Amino acid sequence: TGDIEADFLHVVLFKVRPDTDATLLRTLWDELHKLRAVQGVRSLEIGPAALAVYPDYSDRTAGFTHCLVMRLKDAESLERYAKCPEHLEFVSHLKPVLEKDGVVSIDFYPVHPHAGSGRVLLALSALALGVTAGLFLHKFLPKL
């Protein structure tokens, strides 16, 4: 099959203030999805933390309410995304609805992107940052 170009992953956890209007939040996420058009962005997913995944599920979100997972072509694509005017405008609209210290992000190249090992690295990296990886485990490691 030949070599497949490795992706670069950008993961962001958010703590959205509980008094945030649901319509405003939906508008913000819609704005964010428009950033899929930035050159080098391969995929972009945002969603709320899953809190009741199954009976006796242990909430390990550490107060983070939402997760963004972005797959990019490379680190240069992340730089392009971070500096584009649309992203900067999005950030300016998002900041007022976040808790203080309400953002944690991590960026990495998956170790074995074709075997799915990047998923394990993602969870372990979040733990190394002192952030609970519970919301990652449901989304990225549903069946080992």
Side-chain angles (χ1 to χ4, degrees), residues 19-30:
D19 62 341
T20 302
D21 178 73
T23 303
L24 171 60
L25 194 58
R26 181 63 195 186
T27 300
L28 288 170
W29 298 152
D30 289 346

Side-chain angles (χ1 to χ4, degrees), residues 18-93:
D19 62 341
T20 302
D21 178 73
T23 303
L24 171 60
L25 194 58
R26 181 63 195 186
T27 300
L28 288 170
W29 298 152
D30 289 346
E31 279 185 48
L32 180 63
H33 276 273
K34 292 177 185 175
L35 295 174
R36 289 177 172 174
V38 174
Q39 182 184 0
V41 174
R42 292 183 169 165
S43 67
L44 182 155
E45 299 297 333
I46 183 83
L51 301 176
V53 178
Y54 54 82
D56 300 322
Y57 179 77
S58 176
D59 176 7
R60 298 168 295 203
T61 59
F64 287 94
T65 60
H66 293 77
C67 180
L68 164 71
V69 178
M70 183 180 295
R71 187 171 295 277
L72 300 120
K73 178 180 177 189
D74 50 29
E76 291 77 20
S77 298
L78 178 63
E79 180 180 17
R80 185 179 309 106
Y81 166 81
K83 293 179 178 180
C84 82
E86 295 84 3
H87 174 254
L88 297 173
E89 182 178 352
F90 168 75
V91 169
S92 73
H93 293 151

Side-chain angles (χ1 to χ4, degrees), residues 90-118:
F90 168 75
V91 169
S92 73
H93 293 151
L94 181 65
K95 280 184 178 181
V97 305
L98 296 179
E99 298 279 359
K100 182 180 180 202
D101 300 323
V103 177
V104 171
S105 68
I106 187 167
D107 307 302
F108 68 96
Y109 284 103
V111 175
H112 297 288
H114 313 301
S117 297

